[in-house]
Amino acid sequence: MDRTRRLRQSAVMRNMVRENHVRVDDLIYPMFVIEGENIVQPVESMPGICQYSLDRMAEELERIEKARISAILLFGIPQHKDEVGSGAYDEHGIVQEAIRRIKKDYPNLLVIADVCLCEYTSHGHCGLVRDGVILNDETLPLLAASAVSYAKAGADIVAPSDMMDKRVQVIREALDQAGFVYTPIMSYSAKFASGYYGPFRDAAHSAPGFGDRRTYQMDPANGREAMREVEEDIAEGADLIIAKPAMAYMDIIKDIRMNCNIPIVAYNVSGEYAMVKAASANGWIDEKKIVMENLVGMKRAGADMIITYHALEAAKWIREEENEGGR
Protein backbone atom coordinates (compact mmCIF):
# COMPACT_ATOMS: atom_id res chain seq x y z
CA MET A 1 0.00 0.00 0.00
CA ASP A 2 1.31 3.42 -0.94
CA ARG A 3 1.71 5.69 2.09
CA THR A 4 3.33 9.03 1.24
CA ARG A 5 3.69 9.82 4.96
CA ARG A 6 6.52 7.27 5.12
CA LEU A 7 8.82 9.93 3.70
CA ARG A 8 7.81 12.56 6.27
CA GLN A 9 8.69 10.78 9.49
CA SER A 10 11.78 12.74 10.48
CA ALA A 11 13.60 15.94 9.63
CA VAL A 12 16.43 13.93 8.09
CA MET A 13 13.99 12.03 5.88
CA ARG A 14 12.16 15.20 4.83
CA ASN A 15 15.42 16.93 3.99
CA MET A 16 16.58 13.94 1.95
CA VAL A 17 13.51 13.92 -0.32
CA ARG A 18 13.01 17.70 -0.48
CA GLU A 19 12.52 18.72 -4.10
CA ASN A 20 13.37 22.43 -3.93
CA HIS A 21 15.81 24.45 -1.88
CA VAL A 22 16.50 28.15 -1.42
CA ARG A 23 20.24 28.80 -1.26
CA VAL A 24 22.00 32.02 -0.33
CA ASP A 25 23.53 31.99 -3.82
CA ASP A 26 20.00 32.23 -5.26
CA LEU A 27 19.35 35.60 -3.62
CA ILE A 28 19.77 39.04 -5.20
CA TYR A 29 19.44 42.04 -2.89
CA PRO A 30 18.10 45.37 -4.21
CA MET A 31 19.94 48.48 -3.02
CA PHE A 32 19.08 52.18 -3.34
CA VAL A 33 21.84 54.78 -3.70
CA ILE A 34 21.06 58.48 -3.48
CA GLU A 35 22.99 61.62 -4.32
CA GLY A 36 24.12 63.68 -1.35
CA GLU A 37 26.28 63.13 1.71
CA ASN A 38 25.88 61.35 5.03
CA ILE A 39 22.46 59.93 4.09
CA VAL A 40 20.93 56.78 5.52
CA GLN A 41 17.26 57.44 4.91
CA PRO A 42 14.80 54.72 5.99
CA VAL A 43 11.99 53.97 3.54
CA GLU A 44 8.88 54.25 5.70
CA SER A 45 6.79 51.83 3.64
CA MET A 46 9.60 49.23 3.56
CA PRO A 47 10.78 48.58 7.14
CA GLY A 48 14.48 47.72 7.22
CA ILE A 49 15.24 49.20 3.79
CA CYS A 50 17.14 52.50 3.43
CA GLN A 51 18.50 54.85 0.81
CA TYR A 52 22.29 55.27 1.10
CA SER A 53 24.56 58.05 -0.10
CA LEU A 54 27.87 56.97 -1.59
CA ASP A 55 29.80 57.79 1.58
CA ARG A 56 27.48 55.63 3.70
CA MET A 57 26.69 52.68 1.44
CA ALA A 58 29.62 50.67 2.81
CA GLU A 59 27.51 50.06 5.92
CA GLU A 60 24.99 48.10 3.85
CA LEU A 61 27.65 46.49 1.69
CA GLU A 62 29.38 45.11 4.77
CA ARG A 63 26.10 43.51 5.86
CA ILE A 64 25.70 42.05 2.38
CA GLU A 65 29.24 40.64 2.46
CA LYS A 66 28.73 39.20 5.95
CA ALA A 67 25.52 37.51 4.78
CA ARG A 68 27.51 36.03 1.85
CA ILE A 69 25.03 37.36 -0.66
CA SER A 70 26.78 37.36 -4.01
CA ALA A 71 24.67 39.81 -6.08
CA ILE A 72 22.93 43.15 -5.73
CA LEU A 73 20.49 45.03 -7.96
CA LEU A 74 21.32 48.72 -7.98
CA PHE A 75 18.85 51.64 -8.24
CA GLY A 76 19.82 55.31 -8.26
CA ILE A 77 18.09 58.41 -6.92
CA PRO A 78 19.49 61.61 -8.45
CA GLN A 79 19.16 65.17 -7.19
CA HIS A 80 18.43 66.48 -10.68
CA LYS A 81 15.63 65.22 -12.92
CA ASP A 82 14.73 66.41 -16.39
CA GLU A 83 12.47 65.56 -19.32
CA VAL A 84 15.00 63.23 -20.92
CA GLY A 85 16.31 61.45 -17.80
CA SER A 86 19.88 62.53 -18.49
CA GLY A 87 21.13 61.29 -15.12
CA ALA A 88 20.54 57.72 -16.25
CA TYR A 89 23.31 57.90 -18.85
CA ASP A 90 25.57 60.51 -17.27
CA GLU A 91 29.11 59.14 -16.96
CA HIS A 92 29.21 60.55 -13.42
CA GLY A 93 25.63 59.68 -12.50
CA ILE A 94 24.77 58.25 -9.11
CA VAL A 95 24.61 54.62 -10.26
CA GLN A 96 27.79 54.89 -12.32
CA GLU A 97 29.70 56.33 -9.36
CA ALA A 98 28.23 53.70 -7.03
CA ILE A 99 29.29 50.89 -9.35
CA ARG A 100 32.87 52.16 -9.47
CA ARG A 101 33.11 52.34 -5.68
CA ILE A 102 31.52 48.94 -5.17
CA LYS A 103 33.74 47.19 -7.71
CA LYS A 104 36.81 48.83 -6.19
CA ASP A 105 36.03 47.89 -2.59
CA TYR A 106 33.98 44.69 -3.15
CA PRO A 107 35.34 43.27 -6.42
CA ASN A 108 33.71 39.87 -5.96
CA LEU A 109 30.20 41.27 -5.49
CA LEU A 110 28.13 40.86 -8.66
CA VAL A 111 26.56 44.21 -9.54
CA ILE A 112 23.37 44.29 -11.60
CA ALA A 113 22.39 47.75 -12.82
CA ASP A 114 18.70 48.44 -13.37
CA VAL A 115 18.23 50.22 -16.72
CA CYS A 116 15.27 52.60 -16.81
CA LEU A 117 14.55 56.31 -16.99
CA CYS A 118 11.76 56.61 -14.40
CA GLU A 119 14.01 57.61 -11.48
CA TYR A 120 15.63 60.29 -13.64
CA THR A 121 12.74 61.90 -15.53
CA SER A 122 10.83 64.90 -14.21
CA HIS A 123 7.56 63.25 -15.30
CA GLY A 124 8.38 59.89 -13.70
CA HIS A 125 7.74 57.73 -16.75
CA CYS A 126 10.09 55.08 -18.11
CA GLY A 127 10.41 56.69 -21.52
CA LEU A 128 10.35 60.02 -23.27
CA VAL A 129 7.00 61.80 -23.34
CA ARG A 130 5.38 63.89 -26.07
CA ASP A 131 1.86 65.29 -25.71
CA GLY A 132 1.13 62.86 -22.90
CA VAL A 133 2.23 59.81 -24.93
CA ILE A 134 5.15 57.65 -23.78
CA LEU A 135 7.39 57.27 -26.82
CA ASN A 136 8.88 53.88 -27.60
CA ASP A 137 11.47 54.09 -30.37
CA GLU A 138 12.73 57.52 -29.35
CA THR A 139 13.47 56.14 -25.86
CA LEU A 140 15.58 53.20 -27.02
CA PRO A 141 18.86 55.08 -27.68
CA LEU A 142 18.74 56.56 -24.17
CA LEU A 143 18.26 53.12 -22.61
CA ALA A 144 21.15 51.80 -24.67
CA ALA A 145 23.34 54.71 -23.60
CA SER A 146 22.47 53.98 -19.96
CA ALA A 147 23.33 50.30 -20.31
CA VAL A 148 26.67 51.06 -21.95
CA SER A 149 27.54 53.65 -19.30
CA TYR A 150 26.84 51.12 -16.54
CA ALA A 151 28.96 48.51 -18.27
CA LYS A 152 31.81 51.02 -18.62
CA ALA A 153 31.56 51.77 -14.90
CA GLY A 154 31.96 48.06 -14.16
CA ALA A 155 28.45 46.59 -13.94
CA ASP A 156 28.47 42.82 -14.35
CA ILE A 157 24.89 42.65 -15.69
CA VAL A 158 22.45 45.23 -17.06
CA ALA A 159 18.74 44.82 -16.39
CA PRO A 160 16.31 46.82 -18.57
CA SER A 161 13.04 47.30 -16.67
CA ASP A 162 11.34 49.90 -18.87
CA MET A 163 9.16 47.55 -20.98
CA MET A 164 9.73 49.43 -24.23
CA ASP A 165 9.42 47.18 -27.30
CA LYS A 166 12.76 46.12 -28.88
CA ARG A 167 14.92 47.56 -26.12
CA VAL A 168 16.80 44.30 -25.58
CA GLN A 169 17.87 44.22 -29.21
CA VAL A 170 19.03 47.84 -29.17
CA ILE A 171 20.87 47.41 -25.86
CA ARG A 172 22.57 44.21 -27.07
CA GLU A 173 23.75 45.93 -30.24
CA ALA A 174 25.04 48.94 -28.28
CA LEU A 175 26.89 46.79 -25.75
CA ASP A 176 28.51 44.73 -28.51
CA GLN A 177 29.56 47.82 -30.45
CA ALA A 178 31.11 49.27 -27.29
CA GLY A 179 33.10 46.08 -26.71
CA PHE A 180 30.95 44.62 -23.94
CA VAL A 181 30.04 41.43 -25.77
CA TYR A 182 30.21 39.40 -22.54
CA THR A 183 27.99 41.69 -20.46
CA PRO A 184 24.72 39.78 -19.96
CA ILE A 185 21.25 41.30 -20.20
CA MET A 186 18.81 40.37 -17.45
CA SER A 187 15.54 41.51 -18.99
CA TYR A 188 12.38 42.39 -17.11
CA SER A 189 10.40 40.52 -19.76
CA ALA A 190 7.20 39.67 -17.91
CA LYS A 191 6.68 42.88 -15.94
CA PHE A 192 3.10 43.65 -15.06
CA ALA A 193 1.37 46.95 -14.29
CA SER A 194 0.95 45.95 -10.68
CA GLY A 195 -0.36 47.52 -7.51
CA TYR A 196 2.49 45.79 -5.66
CA TYR A 197 5.05 48.45 -6.67
CA GLY A 198 3.88 51.27 -4.38
CA PRO A 199 6.61 51.03 -1.71
CA PHE A 200 9.33 50.81 -4.37
CA ARG A 201 8.15 54.08 -5.85
CA ASP A 202 8.54 55.62 -2.40
CA ALA A 203 12.08 54.26 -2.19
CA ALA A 204 13.15 55.22 -5.72
CA HIS A 205 11.18 58.49 -5.98
CA SER A 206 9.81 57.15 -9.27
CA ALA A 207 6.02 57.51 -9.18
CA PRO A 208 4.66 58.80 -12.52
CA GLY A 209 3.70 62.47 -12.45
CA PHE A 210 0.61 61.82 -14.55
CA GLY A 211 -1.40 58.81 -15.64
CA ASP A 212 -0.01 55.35 -15.10
CA ARG A 213 2.23 52.79 -16.82
CA ARG A 214 -0.41 50.55 -18.33
CA THR A 215 0.45 51.49 -21.91
CA TYR A 216 3.85 49.79 -21.57
CA GLN A 217 3.75 47.49 -18.53
CA MET A 218 1.63 44.35 -18.96
CA ASP A 219 -2.03 43.82 -18.10
CA PRO A 220 -2.15 41.54 -15.01
CA ALA A 221 -4.89 39.51 -16.71
CA ASN A 222 -2.65 38.34 -19.57
CA GLY A 223 -0.56 35.20 -19.27
CA ARG A 224 -0.14 34.25 -22.92
CA GLU A 225 1.04 37.75 -23.71
CA ALA A 226 3.77 37.34 -21.10
CA MET A 227 5.13 34.40 -23.05
CA ARG A 228 5.22 36.54 -26.20
CA GLU A 229 7.25 39.15 -24.33
CA VAL A 230 9.64 36.52 -23.01
CA GLU A 231 10.11 34.84 -26.38
CA GLU A 232 10.75 38.17 -28.10
CA ASP A 233 13.34 39.21 -25.51
CA ILE A 234 15.16 35.88 -25.81
CA ALA A 235 15.21 36.26 -29.60
CA GLU A 236 16.62 39.78 -29.19
CA GLY A 237 19.47 38.59 -26.99
CA ALA A 238 18.32 38.42 -23.36
CA ASP A 239 20.50 36.11 -21.25
CA LEU A 240 18.25 35.95 -18.18
CA ILE A 241 14.52 36.64 -17.76
CA ILE A 242 12.77 38.42 -14.87
CA ALA A 243 9.14 37.82 -13.93
CA LYS A 244 7.73 40.65 -11.82
CA PRO A 245 5.91 40.56 -9.41
CA ALA A 246 6.37 37.02 -8.11
CA MET A 247 3.74 35.89 -5.62
CA ALA A 248 0.60 36.56 -7.67
CA TYR A 249 2.36 35.52 -10.89
CA MET A 250 3.84 32.11 -10.11
CA ASP A 251 1.86 30.68 -13.02
CA ILE A 252 3.87 32.98 -15.28
CA ILE A 253 7.13 31.71 -13.79
CA LYS A 254 5.93 28.15 -14.32
CA ASP A 255 4.96 28.84 -17.94
CA ILE A 256 8.37 30.34 -18.66
CA ARG A 257 10.10 27.36 -17.08
CA MET A 258 8.02 24.88 -19.08
CA ASN A 259 8.61 26.63 -22.39
CA CYS A 260 12.05 28.29 -22.24
CA ASN A 261 15.51 26.97 -21.48
CA ILE A 262 16.89 30.14 -19.90
CA PRO A 263 17.70 31.27 -16.34
CA ILE A 264 14.61 32.74 -14.67
CA VAL A 265 14.62 35.40 -11.97
CA ALA A 266 11.57 36.00 -9.76
CA TYR A 267 11.27 39.54 -8.39
CA ASN A 268 9.73 39.39 -4.91
CA VAL A 269 8.66 43.03 -5.06
CA SER A 270 8.27 45.82 -2.52
CA GLY A 271 4.55 45.42 -1.90
CA GLU A 272 4.99 41.72 -1.21
CA TYR A 273 7.78 42.57 1.21
CA ALA A 274 5.81 45.34 2.93
CA MET A 275 2.75 43.15 3.50
CA VAL A 276 4.81 40.49 5.23
CA LYS A 277 6.58 43.11 7.36
CA ALA A 278 3.29 44.73 8.39
CA ALA A 279 1.63 41.45 9.29
CA SER A 280 4.69 40.35 11.24
CA ALA A 281 4.87 43.65 13.13
CA ASN A 282 1.27 43.10 14.22
CA GLY A 283 2.04 39.57 15.41
CA TRP A 284 -0.30 38.00 12.88
CA ILE A 285 2.28 35.74 11.19
CA ASP A 286 5.63 34.07 11.79
CA GLU A 287 7.83 36.16 9.49
CA LYS A 288 10.56 33.58 9.00
CA LYS A 289 8.11 30.81 8.09
CA ILE A 290 6.15 33.01 5.70
CA VAL A 291 9.21 34.45 3.96
CA MET A 292 10.88 31.09 3.47
CA GLU A 293 7.61 29.52 2.28
CA ASN A 294 7.17 32.32 -0.25
CA LEU A 295 10.74 31.97 -1.51
CA VAL A 296 10.61 28.20 -1.85
CA GLY A 297 7.29 28.60 -3.67
CA MET A 298 9.06 30.77 -6.24
CA LYS A 299 11.76 28.12 -6.63
CA ARG A 300 9.11 25.42 -6.96
CA ALA A 301 7.41 27.43 -9.72
CA GLY A 302 10.69 27.38 -11.64
CA ALA A 303 12.76 30.40 -10.60
CA ASP A 304 16.51 29.93 -10.54
CA MET A 305 17.19 33.20 -8.67
CA ILE A 306 15.11 35.54 -6.54
CA ILE A 307 15.41 39.29 -6.20
CA THR A 308 14.10 40.01 -2.72
CA TYR A 309 14.26 42.70 -0.03
CA HIS A 310 14.20 39.83 2.48
CA ALA A 311 17.61 38.65 1.25
CA LEU A 312 19.66 39.64 4.31
CA GLU A 313 17.23 37.98 6.71
CA ALA A 314 16.70 34.95 4.49
CA ALA A 315 20.45 34.43 4.18
CA LYS A 316 20.75 34.45 7.97
CA TRP A 317 17.93 31.93 8.36
CA ILE A 318 19.37 29.65 5.68
CA ARG A 319 22.79 29.66 7.33
CA GLU A 320 21.25 28.90 10.71
CA GLU A 321 19.41 25.91 9.30
CA GLU A 322 22.57 24.69 7.55
CA ASN A 323 24.52 24.95 10.82
CA GLU A 324 21.81 23.10 12.72
CA GLY A 325 21.73 20.39 10.09
CA GLY A 326 25.49 19.94 10.33
CA ARG A 327 25.53 19.22 14.05
Side-chain angles (χ1 to χ4, degrees):
M1 181 181 295
D2 185 20
R3 291 185 181 272
T4 54
R5 284 186 57 186
R6 292 178 186 133
L7 301 181
R8 303 174 193 157
Q9 298 307 298
S10 68
V12 172
M13 182 74 75
R14 292 191 296 273
N15 289 338
M16 186 174 70
V17 301
R18 183 162 292 147
E19 298 174 19
N20 294 281
H21 298 80
V22 180
R23 305 174 305 143
V24 175
D25 286 343
D26 300 331
L27 305 176
I28 300 169
Y29 185 54
M31 187 171 173
F32 299 94
V33 291
I34 187 169
E35 287 190 327
E37 295 181 353
N38 196 32
I39 299 172
V40 178
Q41 178 62 47
V43 180
E44 186 175 350
S45 57
M46 299 176 69
I49 301 299
C50 297
Q51 304 162 339
Y52 293 90
S53 55
L54 295 178
D55 58 324
R56 296 290 300 274
M57 67 181 181
E59 298 169 26
E60 186 78 322
L61 292 167
E62 288 169 7
R63 285 187 283 269
I64 292 166
E65 183 177 59
K66 184 177 180 180
R68 301 182 193 175
I69 291 170
S70 57
I72 61 171
L73 176 59
L74 206 55
F75 298 95
I77 307 162
Q79 289 181 337
H80 170 74
K81 301 189 179 199
D82 55 36
E83 291 291 308
V84 295
S86 60
Y89 42 90
D90 183 340
E91 181 183 350
H92 298 290
I94 180 61
V95 168
Q96 290 86 342
E97 293 295 344
I99 294 169
R100 292 187 187 97
R101 291 200 186 194
I102 293 168
K103 297 307 290 185
K104 177 179 180 290
D105 297 334
Y106 300 86
N108 295 324
L109 183 63
L110 191 104
V111 177
I112 306 165
D114 181 85
V115 178
C116 196
L117 301 185
C118 62
E119 295 110 297
Y120 305 92
T121 53
S122 52
H123 46 71
H125 278 285
C126 303
L128 298 179
V129 175
R130 182 186 300 149
D131 298 327
V133 176
I134 289 78
L135 305 176
N136 192 95
D137 293 5
E138 294 85 347
T139 299
L140 300 182
L142 304 185
L143 297 171
S146 300
V148 170
S149 73
Y150 298 149
K152 286 181 177 178
D156 299 287
I157 298 174
V158 295
S161 62
D162 55 283
M163 287 301 286
M164 299 295 122
D165 291 339
K166 305 303 179 185
R167 88 273 204 211
V168 172
Q169 177 181 321
V170 172
I171 290 172
R172 182 72 271 160
E173 291 172 352
L175 288 170
D176 291 352
Q177 290 171 7
F180 298 103
V181 294
Y182 292 111
T183 299
I185 297 174
M186 179 187 287
S187 179
Y188 290 69
S189 298
K191 180 178 178 179
F192 292 83
S194 171
Y196 284 103
Y197 302 154
F200 172 88
R201 292 173 184 173
D202 293 340
H205 299 175
S206 63
F210 67 91
D212 53 41
R213 295 182 173 142
R214 288 184 290 181
T215 64
Y216 46 103
Q217 293 180 359
M218 287 189 56
D219 186 337
N222 294 358
R224 294 190 299 274
E225 184 184 359
M227 289 307 305
R228 285 182 58 197
E229 291 278 6
V230 168
E231 290 164 0
E232 288 175 6
D233 283 3
I234 293 172
E236 291 174 20
D239 301 283
L240 308 96
I241 294 296
I242 297 176
K244 178 184 179 182
M247 288 170 57
Y249 296 85
M250 289 200 194
D251 60 315
I252 304 299
I253 298 171
K254 190 71 171 182
D255 285 346
I256 299 171
R257 170 53 61 226
M258 296 296 291
N259 290 281
C260 303
N261 184 22
I262 193 168
I264 302 170
V265 185
Y267 198 145
N268 181 207
V269 298
S270 60
E272 298 167 343
Y273 172 88
M275 290 191 300
V276 171
K277 284 294 184 181
S280 175
N282 278 283
W284 297 337
I285 61 170
D286 182 317
E287 183 176 3
K288 174 182 175 181
K289 287 183 179 179
I290 293 294
V291 169
M292 297 310 298
E293 186 173 339
N294 287 342
L295 298 182
V296 80
M298 295 165 204
K299 292 298 295 290
R300 189 181 66 247
D304 299 290
M305 292 152 277
I306 303 170
I307 301 168
T308 178
Y309 301 94
H310 295 288
L312 292 177
E313 297 155 311
K316 174 178 176 288
W317 296 328
I318 292 167
R319 296 294 185 197
E320 288 173 349
E321 291 187 0
E322 289 175 347
N323 292 337
E324 290 174 1
R327 290 176 182 172

